[in-house]
Amino acid sequence: VKQTDLEKQGWFRTCHSVAYKTLGIQKGEVLGGGKEDDKWVSEAVGSDVAYCLSEDDDGGYGVFTGDKVAAAALNYWSLARNLVVPLRTVVEADQSFDAPSAAEVIQRVEMYEQAKRLDGRIDFTDMLCRFVGVKNHPDVGPDFIAPEGQVPNTVVGWIFDEAQDSSKLLDMACRRLLTGDAVRWAWAVGDPFQVLFSWSGASSEHFMSWDVGENQKVMPKSHRCAAPILALGERCLKSLPDYWDRGIAPADHDGEVVESENYEDDLADLSPDEDTLVIARTNRNVGRIAAILDEIGTPYRRIKGKSGAYNRGLGMGGMWKLQHGEPVSREEWTQILHMLPVQTTDGRRWLVRGSKTKWEREWSANCEVVFPDEIGSLGATDELKAALASGAWSGLPDGGTKWMAAAKRWGVDAVSEPKIRLGTIHSAKGMEASKVIVLSSVGYKVRAGEELEDWRFNEERRIEYVAVTRAKHKLVVAHDPREKYRMELPI
């Protein structure tokens, strides 16, 4: 592959988006998981459900929640279609004591499918099924039929990244793309030990079963992980039944692994101008870390979702600039207007009534830069101008006081674009940082699950491997002495 070819002709899409385009699906047909779609699905299955990120001990992935039977039925149905197996097979494999019966599940899924037919709606899994030629029946299982849509006939090569996360259905879609008339080559790229989404049918066996002959290549050297970090990652995997030593050499730079017994001390030592990734196994623990960083006033960015209250980016930085006599961009002034109240409860008015609307509809189009002496003509009252000039503006927007204190301590750039990133291990997959802090705490559900089922045990080892190998130079495995359950990292 030549870089120039990718620059001129390359494009990046998900397999789902390729199916969407080739099938000619219209806007509004696909159930995307918003509030209106949740309402539609709830009416279809006869119970309140919502599609959202799991907030429990499972790392933050998309699931249906709400009524137990209806939500379970929709989740079973998604898994069955991704595995390309009968729905009853998935239901009967669930050994949970409160799992609904197959009859209950099939009834809800049939209601869902009938509603989709009547209203002309589909979900994301349906797109791949139609593209590869799988017709699903809730009661008897899948049939294989003629695939729909035309494979892009001008693409000469495909690169399937993160191929280890393919379900059987997604793998079938990738393989169908190779049937295009112009295809001359393809790369399936992935790490078989980074499968973190078994719950959705992902398995490295699909990726590893491609017939590549002698064209299989193993990355000879890590350009990220120093020797002690890479070695710990490999030790995390050695208990897996399919482990094999790929002989990957470590990066040339030095590195270290440190174990700490008090994660709060490690958080207190962080600086927003240092490249740092702070990750935890569960969303609950990510929330605890965020609360600590907010409390001590250390700026950070969430990998997914909203960042700390004091870290409001463009708007805060814009007001700081105006305070110091510097102009702001159109985008910065727009954010300032969004953040500021027109009037506070004490009766003081900060913006002229209607100025936010006029800015959006009239003024912003002809105003690329806003100078401090122009803000009065754009809606700022004399009180706001005085507050901006004196620095008293920090008491107006939510989190302004903390932002101001952080900016004085670390500088505006470090606070506006902090280099500390925070999230779950799942959300950090694919990322790296010079320093990584891994909170070792896991919940009871995680520990109980891996003790009961082999696939959960194996997945936890892969999750630990991913967590460890995000680090380039320094890995800190931080413990909470109050927590009962920890990751079993072989340090």
Side-chain angles (χ1 to χ4, degrees):
V1 184
K2 296 180 180 178
Q3 182 175 336
T4 53
D5 291 340
L6 291 175
E7 290 173 347
K8 293 177 182 178
Q9 304 177 49
W11 42 269
F12 297 85
R13 293 183 183 273
T14 65
C15 226
H16 288 83
S17 69
V18 175
Y20 181 96
K21 183 176 181 180
T22 59
L23 293 171
I25 294 170
Q26 301 299 310
K27 186 177 181 180
E29 283 186 66
V30 181
L31 296 164
K35 289 184 178 180
E36 289 301 314
D37 289 338
D38 286 343
K39 181 180 178 181
W40 185 94
V41 175
S42 296
E43 291 175 354
V45 298
S47 300
D48 287 338
V49 294
Y51 187 79
C52 62
L53 283 180
S54 168
E55 293 295 333
D56 60 13
D57 286 342
D58 293 316
Y61 51 76
V63 293
F64 279 98
T65 60
D67 177 80
K68 287 188 176 181
V69 175
L74 293 168
N75 291 328
Y76 288 141
W77 186 227
S78 177
L79 179 58
R81 288 178 292 161
N82 276 297
L83 293 172
V84 195
V85 299
L87 175 59
R88 195 177 294 272
T89 300
V90 173
V91 178
E92 292 175 352
D94 188 350
Q95 300 298 312
S96 303
F97 72 92
D98 58 347
S101 68
E104 291 176 301
V105 169
I106 290 172
Q107 179 188 23
R108 296 299 182 107
V109 171
E110 287 179 338
M111 293 168 63
Y112 175 61
E113 290 300 313
Q114 182 180 28
K116 285 196 296 182
R117 287 193 296 271
L118 291 174
D119 287 0
R121 306 297 298 273
I122 64 172
D123 58 31
F124 282 100
T125 309
D126 292 329
M127 288 194 301
L128 291 189
C129 289
R130 288 171 54 181
F131 182 70
V132 304
V134 174
K135 184 174 179 62
N136 295 282
H137 306 280
D139 53 343
V140 296
D143 281 337
F144 295 96
I145 59 176
E148 299 180 33
Q150 296 296 318
V151 175
N153 58 14
T154 58
V155 178
V156 298
W158 293 96
I159 301 175
F160 302 113
D161 194 21
E162 301 289 345
Q164 79 279 351
D165 286 327
S166 296
S167 64
K168 182 176 181 180
L169 180 63
L170 182 57
D171 187 68
M172 291 170 65
C174 292
R175 291 173 189 250
R176 189 189 173 207
L177 291 174
L178 301 185
T179 64
D181 293 338
V183 175
R184 298 199 302 269
W185 56 265
W187 281 88
V189 184
D191 183 341
F193 298 124
Q194 288 197 36
V195 181
L196 306 189
F197 303 101
S198 300
W199 57 270
S200 67
S203 172
S204 63
E205 68 180 22
H206 307 300
F207 161 54
M208 296 299 289
S209 66
W210 281 48
D211 184 11
V212 296
E214 297 180 355
N215 292 325
Q216 177 175 298
K217 298 182 183 296
V218 176
M219 182 177 69
K221 183 187 183 92
S222 172
H223 297 282
R224 175 193 301 160
C225 299
I229 297 169
L230 186 65
L232 176 57
E234 290 297 303
R235 291 199 298 273
C236 291
L237 299 173
K238 285 188 175 180
S239 62
L240 298 181
D242 59 345
Y243 173 76
W244 54 288
D245 186 350
R246 294 155 292 168
I248 300 173
D252 292 332
H253 55 257
D254 294 332
E256 62 177 331
V257 176
V258 177
E259 192 169 15
S260 166
E261 288 297 331
N262 193 329
Y263 81 106
E264 293 189 23
D265 289 344
D266 300 301
L267 297 178
D269 292 336
L270 292 179
S271 175
D273 57 3
E274 296 180 355
D275 181 27
T276 308
L277 193 58
V278 184
I279 51 179
R281 175 64 180 83
T282 67
N283 279 296
R284 179 177 66 87
N285 283 326
V286 168
R288 290 171 58 197
I289 294 170
I292 293 171
L293 293 175
D294 284 338
E295 180 63 28
I296 62 179
T298 302
Y300 63 91
R301 286 181 291 153
R302 288 276 193 134
I303 295 173
K304 293 184 178 179
K306 296 181 179 179
S307 295
Y310 50 82
N311 183 28
R312 303 284 295 279
L314 285 177
M316 300 288 193
M319 285 186 278
W320 176 278
K321 287 182 180 179
L322 291 171
Q323 176 187 343
H324 293 83
E326 300 175 24
V328 296
S329 67
R330 172 170 41 207
E331 292 76 15
E332 287 170 324
W333 182 249
T334 300
Q335 186 62 29
I336 290 170
L337 292 178
H338 281 307
M339 294 168 63
L340 290 177
V342 173
Q343 183 175 329
T344 47
T345 55
D346 58 9
R348 288 182 292 173
R349 183 171 291 278
W350 305 101
L351 292 168
V352 175
R353 188 178 299 278
S355 56
K356 293 187 180 186
T357 301
K358 284 185 178 180
W359 171 258
E360 291 178 358
R361 295 181 179 177
E362 304 173 26
W363 298 337
S364 65
N366 300 313
C367 193
E368 294 186 7
V369 178
V370 176
F371 290 89
D373 60 358
E374 295 177 329
I375 62 174
S377 63
L378 298 175
T381 65
D382 289 340
E383 285 184 296
L384 177 57
K385 288 189 284 185
L388 288 172
S390 67
W393 61 266
S394 63
L396 295 177
D398 291 340
T401 302
K402 285 187 176 181
W403 192 96
M404 175 79 78
K408 290 179 178 178
R409 180 179 179 185
W410 285 294
V412 176
D413 291 342
V415 177
S416 298
E417 292 292 333
K419 294 182 179 181
I420 299 172
R421 290 164 290 161
L422 169 63
T424 63
I425 296 169
H426 287 76
S427 68
K429 187 168 175 250
M431 294 185 172
E432 64 179 35
S434 179
K435 178 180 179 179
V436 172
I437 297 178
V438 180
L439 178 59
S440 66
S441 304
V442 298
Y444 171 75
K445 283 181 63 178
V446 170
R447 180 52 46 81
E450 64 176 310
E451 290 178 354
L452 288 173
E453 298 181 278
D454 289 343
W455 75 268
R456 290 186 184 275
F457 174 87
N458 295 337
E459 185 129 322
E460 290 305 314
R461 305 293 79 76
R462 295 193 294 267
I463 290 170
E464 292 167 358
Y465 165 69
V466 168
V468 166
T469 55
R470 298 311 91 199
K472 297 171 66 176
H473 298 97
K474 184 173 184 177
L475 172 69
V476 179
V477 179
H479 305 304
D480 182 344
R482 296 163 296 187
E483 290 290 329
K484 182 177 180 180
Y485 304 107
R486 295 178 175 182
M487 293 180 183
E488 298 179 352
L489 294 171
I491 298 175

